[in-house]
Amino acid sequence: MVPVRLVLAVQDEQYIELFLHYVQCSEFQQRLVVTAFSRRDAFLRYIEDSRELIHVVLGESYFMEYKSSECENQIPWICLGEGEMEQQYVGRVSKYQSLHAMLSIVLGLYRGRGEGAVSSEGKCQVIGVYSALGGSGKTTVALNIAKQLGMQGNRTFYLNLETVNAGIPGQGQIQNGGQRAGLARLLYDLKGDDLGKSPISPVSTYAFRHPALQSDIFSPVDNIKEILEMEEKDTRQLIDYIVDSELYDAVIVDIDSAPNHRSFVALERSDKLVWVLLDEWSGMQKTDLWMSYLERSYSALYSSIMGKTFFVVNRYSGEMSVPLPKRGMAVEATLSYISTSNQGMHGALLHSPLFQRDILRLCREVYTEKSLVARGGLVDDKRYVYTTAGRDPLWS
């Protein structure tokens, strides 16, 4: 996951010191980069010069008076106050409270979970699995995340949004899958519901439980044209329909690698995003080109994606031989290389204890609220740098 870049604007320098120290020493490590200011002139100058580098601003109203309509469209602003707080900002949090609670709320607001969202416990989480290149093992990763979460007792739904979906190994042997209306019918009913012509039935009308996957799924669509015709609205309605059913703890979305309406909505709609990489040159180059395009052409979407993405190297052999394509990127997890030659028709649902161990570790990262932490920042015009080992800060 690329760290969330937060600007803290508080007049009290002692508060800034305590804030930065807590972030460095708490479980929020390697997930948050804080740039802090106690002077408004330095703050304004940084906002002007570095607007594209900022993910979210957290500051007192003294600093917030500067907020312009141009900034409002680019950067979320959260007001930090002591008493009754202003309503015009994205959110507002109390200045004097548990810093753990505050940071959880701030990150929840930044990621669009609404005011006061401390965690997603009790709510259905949308976990997207994506890769910029074909053949990376993305679908295998998505299937095994769904399986592992299901085996842990979570109610999961596996949603495949690829243009060509061959289905899940062994699916053809499950008779009750063919007795469900399926995804094609659901897409038709969702369109009809907009016109008031067709009531939406329960999820069980369209989906069925796959015992090997330990999750509910749709049968693959036979007519690819029905998938190609899915617009942004259709995709959003489909994901919201599953989430709003309140039947599931997690929806695992297998996102199409190709740029289309489905993939863009799924990237934006995911609460957490697992981005699958391969340790090979051409794959990293393709990832770099795609990320650069997103950053230039869809800056708001790119910023949102980077704040919730876990970069995962699949088929890891023990040592990285190719550098990551973007500065600031970090590998969050690795998945061991496992030969599928002896896996048979259940090859995508790998039974290797080593691979399942890696998937379980990944699930613990993406399914529960984990750490976010500052690795550096600015106090006025000085740069405040923390070492990852938690040693004394260095000034420059």
Side-chain angles (χ1 to χ4, degrees), residues 246-262:
E246 299 184 352
L247 295 174
Y248 303 102
D249 300 308
V251 177
I252 313 304
V253 184
D254 192 343
I255 304 174
D256 199 353
S257 295
N260 52 50
H261 295 300
R262 283 168 285 118

Side-chain angles (χ1 to χ4, degrees), residues 226-243:
E226 294 175 326
I227 293 293
L228 291 173
E229 291 178 347
M230 284 182 66
E231 299 291 335
E232 293 182 13
K233 183 179 180 182
D234 303 322
T235 307
R236 196 174 301 278
Q237 280 185 316
L238 173 61
I239 295 175
D240 288 344
Y241 166 76
I242 300 172
V243 171

Side-chain angles (χ1 to χ4, degrees), residues 173-192:
Q173 299 179 353
I174 303 174
Q175 295 182 355
N176 66 349
Q179 298 172 2
R180 299 295 189 264
L183 177 58
R185 178 67 189 190
L186 173 56
L187 293 173
Y188 176 84
D189 288 349
L190 287 171
K191 290 180 182 292

Side-chain angles (χ1 to χ4, degrees), residues 203-220:
V203 176
S204 58
T205 304
Y206 310 96
F208 69 98
R209 184 164 183 80
H210 192 293
L213 189 59
Q214 297 286 300
S215 303
D216 288 355
I217 64 169
F218 294 121
S219 294

Side-chain angles (χ1 to χ4, degrees), residues 46-54 66 70-71 74-75:
Y46 183 77
I47 292 292
E48 284 293 334
D49 296 341
S50 307
R51 186 176 302 166
E52 295 181 355
L53 301 177
I54 302 169
Y66 165 75
E70 183 180 0
C71 283
Q74 296 181 0
I75 308 170

Side-chain angles (χ1 to χ4, degrees), residues 26 104 110 130 206 210-211 214 225 227 246 342 381:
S26 69
S104 298
Y110 167 67
Y130 180 73
Y206 310 96
H210 192 293
Q214 297 286 300
K225 184 178 179 181
I227 293 293
E246 299 184 352
N342 297 321
D381 291 326

Side-chain angles (χ1 to χ4, degrees), residues 11-268:
Q11 290 180 277
D12 186 348
E13 293 187 5
Q14 185 177 7
Y15 185 92
I16 291 176
E17 295 282 350
L18 293 173
F19 187 98
L20 292 174
H21 179 72
Y22 172 79
V23 173
Q24 169 64 15
C25 299
S26 69
E27 79 265 24
F28 289 88
Q29 190 172 12
Q30 297 179 353
R31 291 287 181 272
L32 192 67
V33 173
V34 178
T35 304
F37 296 91
S38 62
R39 295 206 320 262
R40 187 159 60 180
D41 58 339
F43 168 75
L44 299 183
R45 186 163 57 252
Y46 183 77
I47 292 292
E48 284 293 334
D49 296 341
S50 307
R51 186 176 302 166
E52 295 181 355
L53 301 177
I54 302 169
H55 288 148
V56 61
V57 174
L58 174 66
E60 297 170 326
S61 57
Y62 169 78
F63 295 87
M64 295 301 204
E65 295 172 3
Y66 165 75
K67 183 182 180 184
S68 64
S69 58
E70 183 180 0
C71 283
E72 182 176 5
N73 294 331
Q74 296 181 0
I75 308 170
W77 291 54
I78 300 174
C79 185
L80 189 64
E82 301 179 29
E84 183 176 350
M85 290 168 276
E86 294 76 359
Q87 300 291 327
Q88 68 265 35
Y89 307 117
V90 160
R92 53 200 189 281
V93 296
S94 174
K95 180 178 178 181
Y96 298 108
Q97 62 171 307
S98 160
L99 287 176
H100 180 276
M102 177 195 293
L103 290 173
S104 298
I105 293 171
V106 167
L107 290 165
L109 289 168
Y110 167 67
R111 290 171 177 168
R113 295 196 182 107
E115 180 180 344
V118 175
S119 75
S120 54
E121 184 178 356
K123 299 180 181 179
C124 179
Q125 294 189 54
V126 179
I127 301 174
V129 183
Y130 180 73
S131 180
L133 57 149
S136 65
K138 169 181 63 67
T139 293
T140 296
V141 173
L143 287 169
N144 282 276
I145 288 176
K147 174 188 173 183
Q148 190 60 248
L149 289 177
M151 291 175 62
Q152 299 300 315
N154 299 292
R155 301 167 299 168
T156 58
F157 194 104
Y158 170 75
L159 175 61
N160 191 311
L161 291 181
E162 294 179 306
T163 301
V164 180
N165 173 16
I168 299 173
Q171 182 171 300
Q173 299 179 353
I174 303 174
Q175 295 182 355
N176 66 349
Q179 298 172 2
R180 299 295 189 264
L183 177 58
R185 178 67 189 190
L186 173 56
L187 293 173
Y188 176 84
D189 288 349
L190 287 171
K191 290 180 182 292
D193 188 58
D194 284 343
L195 303 174
K197 294 181 179 180
S198 177
I200 299 299
S201 302
V203 176
S204 58
T205 304
Y206 310 96
F208 69 98
R209 184 164 183 80
H210 192 293
L213 189 59
Q214 297 286 300
S215 303
D216 288 355
I217 64 169
F218 294 121
S219 294
V221 175
D222 295 327
N223 187 353
I224 293 179
K225 184 178 179 181
E226 294 175 326
I227 293 293
L228 291 173
E229 291 178 347
M230 284 182 66
E231 299 291 335
E232 293 182 13
K233 183 179 180 182
D234 303 322
T235 307
R236 196 174 301 278
Q237 280 185 316
L238 173 61
I239 295 175
D240 288 344
Y241 166 76
I242 300 172
V243 171
D244 294 343
S245 71
E246 299 184 352
L247 295 174
Y248 303 102
D249 300 308
V251 177
I252 313 304
V253 184
D254 192 343
I255 304 174
D256 199 353
S257 295
N260 52 50
H261 295 300
R262 283 168 285 118
S263 58
F264 276 97
V265 171
L267 288 169
E268 183 272 331

